[in-house]
Amino acid sequence: MDGGKTRKAKIEVRNLTKRFGDLLVLDQISFDVGEGEFLSIVGPTGCGKTTFLNTLSKLIPSTAGDIFIDGEVADPKKHHLSFVFQEPTCLPWRTVRENVAYGMEVKRVPKAEMEKKLNQIMSLVGLADCADLYPNQISASMLQRIAVARAFAVNPDLLLMDEPYGQLDVKLRYYLEDELVRLWEQLKSTVIFVTHNIEEAVYVSERILILSNKPAKVKAEVKVDLPRPRSLIDPRLVEIRKEVTELIRWW
Amino acid sequence: MAYEQVKVKTPLILRLLPVLSVLAFFGAWQMVVDREIVPSTMLASPIQIFQLFLVKWTEVNPDGALLSQHIWTSVQEAFAGYLLALLVGIPLGLAMGWFVVVEGLGRPIFEMIRPIPPVAWIPLVIFWFGIGISGKIFIIWIGGIVPCVINSYEGVRMTNPTLVQMARTYGATDWQIFKQICIPSALPMVFGALQIALALCWTNLVAAELLAADRGLGFLITMGRKLALPDMVLLGMIMIGLTGVVIGIIINYFEKKLLAGIRR
């Protein structure tokens, strides 16, 4: 896999393997992610996407292989990793603003810098109006925006997203996808976006990795070389969507 | 602000219901005594109790202390035991919920002590502390600590695991996760413990004051029994009830303030 041809590889995944007892879930996955690249990963349901992300983020140890950030073995205490989970992970006892600040607090970002970053991010994601509200006072889509804002706020070396918009309705999802792309363009983070929604993957990313059925391997790679802003009815985008769909074919 | 809170008014009839039930209860009680359905050696009427209540503010006899002194003594003992139970029980429970080492060390001993009723400690307590206030505080403490530990422990255990994972991916240390995620998550359960422990401490008060006390609401009850004065027994019981209610209201007030974000 040659994601890093045009730019330097920020993330290198090498022979990542995960076994639960006899069950092989991830089978020697290797790929690179370029600095500031937006990479999507799609695969059949149940192919081990969540295990893949949990292993990548170091939440669970890998059986073999590893992930390197700037040539070093990834370590959540040293590198800036962010993870946006499927379910909104807001702390109910913190206001919206305090929730967005959480990642930076853990990383002990100096107060002044944190305030500056918060102001920037909050207005970028349109949360400035409800900064002082508590999570149970705002809608579900807002909750996920908090998680996304918190993830971008720490200037992550790697931002992992696990179907963050899977539970939202279509209209809202389009809106948030645009917002995500805008954030990524402005903040230039390196993103790995996992989804089962092929259209979403083609719409947001620069490159797509397709995983095979369990045990998961990288089956194919598709470049999405389309200008932005993109349109879902652009014939080129539809073409790529069909190509990816053909490659997955789990039905 | 675009988001406003709506206040809902409770209908008058619903607010009157508790008043009605209390009035009906005392009315029926008064009637039962007035008509001598129950002999007066066994039960005093609410009016008699209220009269004794008024008298006991200024009259020391026959039990040797004013009502206010009884209340104050009991409140002191109960609160000392209660606060000690909170101070030891809550941190212990929280730590047991998160740190496996603390759980491994603390849990077996706690599980062994837990089923022993606080009154069973009375003989030992007399050996250890004599009959002073410290023995009573110990009895109240050992009863109150159980719900503090259990609720705090369960509260931490019930922390949403995704929140913990979220914190981990940001590189949070175990201590940071404990402080920033687990403790706030456990707070509603901990506040539950405040109420349960208070009820237990207050209940154990009478038992503790059976320890050769010379003051306190439990002592007032004991004296009422010894002197065969049902009104005094009932006054002691009612005062324990009322004081407990007042303390409960105070704790509820602080709970609401502190948990504004969660309970809204």
Side-chain angles (χ1 to χ4, degrees):
Chain A
M1 301 298 147
D2 62 355
K5 259 186 190 163
T6 47
R7 46 191 159 185
K8 131 177 184 278
K10 173 88 177 165
I11 313 290
E12 296 161 272
V13 177
R14 290 289 169 267
N15 299 320
L16 196 68
T17 305
K18 180 70 194 174
R19 263 175 212 284
F20 293 104
D22 289 339
L23 181 68
L24 182 62
V25 183
L26 306 176
D27 186 12
Q28 303 207 354
I29 296 183
S30 296
F31 63 90
D32 289 351
V33 191
E35 173 129 40
E37 185 177 9
F38 197 127
L39 175 74
S40 280
I41 292 176
V42 295
T45 34
C47 75
K49 286 195 291 271
T50 303
T51 307
F52 175 61
L53 273 178
N54 287 345
T55 319
L56 266 188
S57 61
K58 300 298 219 169
L59 279 174
I60 56 175
S62 58
T63 311
D66 223 322
I67 163 170
F68 300 88
I69 296 178
D70 296 325
E72 282 181 272
V73 174
D75 177 0
K77 296 218 164 66
K78 192 160 59 187
H79 295 108
H80 293 189
L81 294 178
S82 292
F83 198 133
V84 179
F85 294 85
Q86 259 174 45
E87 57 178 296
T89 46
C90 292
L91 307 175
W93 52 87
R94 283 173 170 243
T95 63
V96 171
R97 192 181 168 88
E98 288 163 356
N99 260 293
V100 174
Y102 181 74
M104 290 191 280
E105 270 176 42
V106 169
K107 299 193 177 298
R108 302 186 200 284
V109 174
K111 194 97 189 148
E113 194 185 319
M114 186 154 93
E115 288 298 316
K116 205 172 126 210
K117 192 84 191 175
L118 268 178
N119 291 335
Q120 182 201 2
I121 293 268
M122 295 287 282
S123 52
L124 261 178
V125 293
L127 286 172
D129 283 345
C130 52
D132 296 321
L133 295 177
Y134 284 89
N136 61 353
Q137 294 174 303
I138 60 177
S139 66
S141 67
M142 295 277 230
L143 292 179
Q144 201 53 293
R145 284 156 97 173
I146 294 175
V148 172
R150 182 176 58 202
F152 274 102
V154 295
N155 284 330
D157 294 312
L158 173 59
L159 172 52
L160 296 156
M161 304 182 90
D162 184 8
E163 296 184 25
Y165 306 134
Q167 292 164 357
L168 300 175
D169 69 75
V170 177
K171 186 182 150 205
L172 213 50
R173 219 184 56 218
Y174 289 154
Y175 183 74
L176 291 176
E177 284 162 11
D178 281 340
E179 187 176 274
L180 172 65
V181 170
R182 208 170 61 236
L183 275 168
W184 166 72
E185 283 176 328
Q186 295 214 14
L187 302 170
K188 301 176 177 60
S189 302
T190 309
V191 180
I192 296 184
F193 186 91
V194 169
T195 178
H196 60 250
N197 186 320
I198 297 162
E199 188 180 62
E200 183 176 49
V202 179
Y203 184 69
V204 295
S205 53
E206 295 180 285
R207 189 158 61 102
I208 301 172
L209 293 184
I210 295 135
L211 296 184
S212 66
N213 250 319
K214 206 178 277 172
K217 290 179 174 194
V218 178
K219 185 179 175 189
E221 179 198 43
V222 174
K223 282 233 160 74
V224 188
D225 204 4
L226 299 177
R228 294 179 201 265
R230 293 174 180 171
S231 159
L232 287 166
I233 48 169
D234 179 343
R236 286 172 300 172
L237 191 141
V238 174
E239 194 50 48
I240 297 174
R241 200 187 77 204
K242 280 188 186 148
E243 185 191 339
V244 176
T245 311
E246 277 309 311
L247 282 165
I248 293 185
R249 275 288 179 199
W250 66 78
W251 55 87
Chain B
M1 200 159 76
Y3 304 86
E4 265 184 51
Q5 296 204 346
V6 184
K7 276 217 168 116
V8 184
K9 234 184 161 186
T10 324
L12 186 67
I13 184 80
L14 283 184
R15 280 182 292 159
L16 276 178
L17 284 179
V19 180
L20 282 177
S21 79
V22 170
L23 282 180
F25 174 72
F26 281 106
W29 178 0
Q30 183 70 34
M31 211 180 68
V32 165
V33 180
D34 283 350
R35 299 268 168 95
E36 302 209 347
I37 300 171
V38 177
S40 59
T41 49
M42 288 170 70
L43 189 65
S45 74
I47 290 177
Q48 284 171 316
I49 296 167
F50 188 67
Q51 281 165 346
L52 180 67
F53 169 77
L54 294 179
V55 168
K56 280 303 296 171
W57 286 107
T58 49
E59 175 59 54
V60 176
N61 289 322
D63 44 275
L66 298 176
L67 185 60
S68 52
Q69 293 171 320
H70 286 307
I71 295 176
W72 179 233
T73 306
S74 288
V75 167
Q76 276 179 314
E77 289 165 0
F79 260 89
Y82 179 56
L83 287 179
L84 280 176
L86 300 186
L87 280 177
V88 178
I90 292 175
L92 180 66
L94 291 172
M96 269 168 61
W98 181 243
F99 299 105
V100 278
V101 176
V102 183
E103 192 190 2
L105 290 175
R107 182 124 199 167
I109 294 175
F110 175 72
E111 290 295 335
M112 240 158 40
I113 290 176
R114 178 158 88 120
I116 303 171
V119 278
W121 289 89
I122 287 180
L124 267 189
V125 163
I126 294 175
F127 297 158
W128 294 345
F129 299 99
I131 54 171
I133 190 168
S134 40
K136 283 174 265 182
I137 292 173
F138 180 85
I139 299 284
I140 294 169
W141 173 73
I142 205 138
I145 201 170
V146 172
C148 293
V149 172
I150 295 179
N151 270 39
S152 312
Y153 173 82
E154 288 299 331
V156 170
R157 278 304 166 111
M158 276 159 51
T159 305
N160 181 348
T162 320
L163 294 183
V164 175
Q165 292 191 332
M166 184 272 289
R168 275 214 199 291
T169 52
Y170 284 113
T173 58
D174 267 0
W175 177 249
Q176 277 177 317
I177 295 175
F178 179 61
K179 210 174 63 179
Q180 296 168 339
I181 312 279
C182 296
I183 293 181
S185 292
L187 273 191
M189 288 286 282
V190 171
F191 273 101
L194 295 194
Q195 300 269 12
I196 301 168
L198 181 71
L200 269 179
C201 287
W202 213 225
T203 318
N204 284 328
L205 183 69
V206 181
E209 283 174 351
L210 289 173
L211 272 171
D214 58 356
R215 226 164 253 188
L217 292 171
F219 170 73
L220 187 65
I221 295 175
T222 317
M223 280 306 282
R225 178 179 61 86
K226 283 183 181 160
L227 301 170
L229 294 172
D231 53 346
M232 197 188 273
V233 173
L234 282 160
L235 178 66
M237 287 170 65
I238 290 173
M239 289 321 293
I240 289 178
L242 283 181
T243 318
V245 168
V246 170
I247 300 169
I249 290 171
I250 295 170
I251 289 199
N252 243 332
Y253 173 80
F254 283 112
E255 177 176 1
K256 280 205 180 115
K257 286 249 151 171
L258 279 166
L259 288 183
I262 296 175
R263 292 267 165 97
R264 213 186 305 248

